[in-house]
Amino acid sequence: MRLEDRVAIVTGGAAGIGRAICELFAEEGAKVVIGDIDVEGGEETARLIRSAVGDAVFVRTDVSSEDQAASLIEAAAASYGGVNVLVNDAAAFVFGKVEDVTDEQWRRALGVNVLGAAYTVKHALRHMRAAGGGAVVNIASVSSFVAAPAFVPYNTSKGALMQLTRCLALDLAPDNIRVNCVCPGAILTQATELHRQFTGEDREAFLSDAANSNFMKRHGKPREIAYGALFLASDESSFMTGQPLIIDGGATAQ
Ligand SMILES: NC(=O)c1ccc[n+]([C@@H]2O[C@H](COP(=O)([O-])OP(=O)(O)OC[C@H]3O[C@@H](n4cnc5c(N)ncnc54)[C@H](O)[C@@H]3O)[C@@H](O)[C@H]2O)c1
């Protein structure tokens, strides 16, 4: 029960890695507040947690809107009396080469993946300070460090999210608020299929190329990322801030 009596907000909790984080956090005792644009998926995550005897609510939230990000935080505080943990998992998967990316696509990638995280932290601060501290976990990516073909907006946003993590960690350390990020490699989720469709590659070849790009020759599972997020959200990582936790089957170690 590493998150017993903690209130944890998870953006992007309607699917994939975010849902796995919500479920694991609830198993560890957290009261979970899910923010996502996907109402059906978000409600389903909350239902899954409650049917397993956890505590969760869903709040429809587009994190790229500061007003909606603020409402998510206030809804969490109103439901459960405070905010202790914030996971920024929501992401826009915008791929492409620079010459092909539209202004709208750039704004969506940066608006969700970078500004969304900044807005939620901004509005969670007052509650974390009132609680004597807190933990922010940003879900960045190996794309924060390495380039990949035709991946410009997404990779740029994830690089910025890593640097946002460092900057926030420095500024918020006096408030006992730690800010770290998990950097997943290839994890099998609905986003994997979005990327495959963008490349136009055959499904089997695409999946096997991604799996073969790491030492373990397979995709990771959402739960394997959730365990990293749990470590960073819990007191077990009490002397860690401003850092990435890379979980990629060794992909960036070669
Ligand atoms: N799957 C991978 O291989 C992989 C690799 C590295 C990093 N990541 C990161 O992990 C996180 C989760 O990705 P996933 O693979 O589980 O994808 P996913 O598509 O399953 O989950 C992303 C969630 O974000 C939500 N979302 C999108 N825009 C939003 C917005 N404006 N406001 C609120 N919610 C919004 C979606 O509705 C969805 O529920 C992302 O930050 C992603 O960049 C994934």
Side-chain angles (χ1 to χ4, degrees), residues 141-152:
S141 173
V142 292
S143 300
S144 301
F145 307 101
V146 295
F151 232 114
V152 176

Side-chain angles (χ1 to χ4, degrees), residues 14-68:
I17 293 169
R19 175 175 286 175
I21 292 171
C22 290
E23 292 185 316
L24 180 61
F25 280 22
E27 287 166 29
E28 292 286 333
K31 297 173 172 66
V32 178
V33 181
I34 304 147
D36 204 295
I37 47 171
D38 174 359
V39 175
E40 207 178 307
E43 295 284 13
E44 177 64 12
T45 302
R47 242 192 326 271
L48 286 167
I49 290 172
R50 289 195 294 259
S51 67
V53 204
D55 215 337
V57 291
F58 169 69
V59 183
R60 194 214 172 271
T61 312
D62 177 347
V63 295
S64 67
S65 150
E66 182 171 356
D67 286 350
Q68 292 188 34

Side-chain angles (χ1 to χ4, degrees), residues 42-198:
E43 295 284 13
E44 177 64 12
T45 302
R47 242 192 326 271
L48 286 167
I49 290 172
R50 289 195 294 259
S51 67
V53 204
D55 215 337
V57 291
F58 169 69
V59 183
R60 194 214 172 271
T61 312
D62 177 347
V63 295
S64 67
S65 150
E66 182 171 356
D67 286 350
Q68 292 188 34
S71 300
L72 169 66
I73 306 296
E74 293 318 315
S79 299
Y80 295 125
V83 177
N84 308 105
V85 172
L86 168 65
V87 179
N88 286 304
D89 169 271
F93 296 92
V94 183
F95 311 113
K97 292 189 175 177
V98 74
E99 64 267 36
D100 300 323
V101 180
T102 65
D103 180 61
E104 185 277 328
Q105 287 175 313
W106 268 116
R107 287 177 195 281
R108 190 152 50 86
L110 298 174
V112 179
N113 304 359
V114 186
L115 301 184
Y119 295 151
T120 52
V121 172
K122 175 179 172 184
H123 292 278
L125 272 187
R126 147 175 107 80
H127 299 289
M128 289 186 172
R129 283 183 179 130
V136 177
V137 182
N138 294 323
I139 308 301
S141 173
V142 292
S143 300
S144 301
F145 307 101
V146 295
F151 232 114
V152 176
Y154 179 83
N155 276 24
T156 302
S157 73
K158 291 294 179 177
L161 184 58
M162 176 67 243
Q163 189 62 353
L164 177 68
T165 301
R166 293 190 187 99
C167 295
L168 293 174
L170 175 63
D171 284 351
L172 303 180
D175 293 310
N176 195 31
I177 299 171
R178 298 181 299 105
V179 189
N180 291 290
C181 60
V182 181
C183 297
I187 311 299
L188 206 52
T189 68
Q190 64 188 12
T192 314
E193 179 57 19
L194 277 184
H195 188 212
R196 185 200 70 81
Q197 283 169 8
F198 172 79

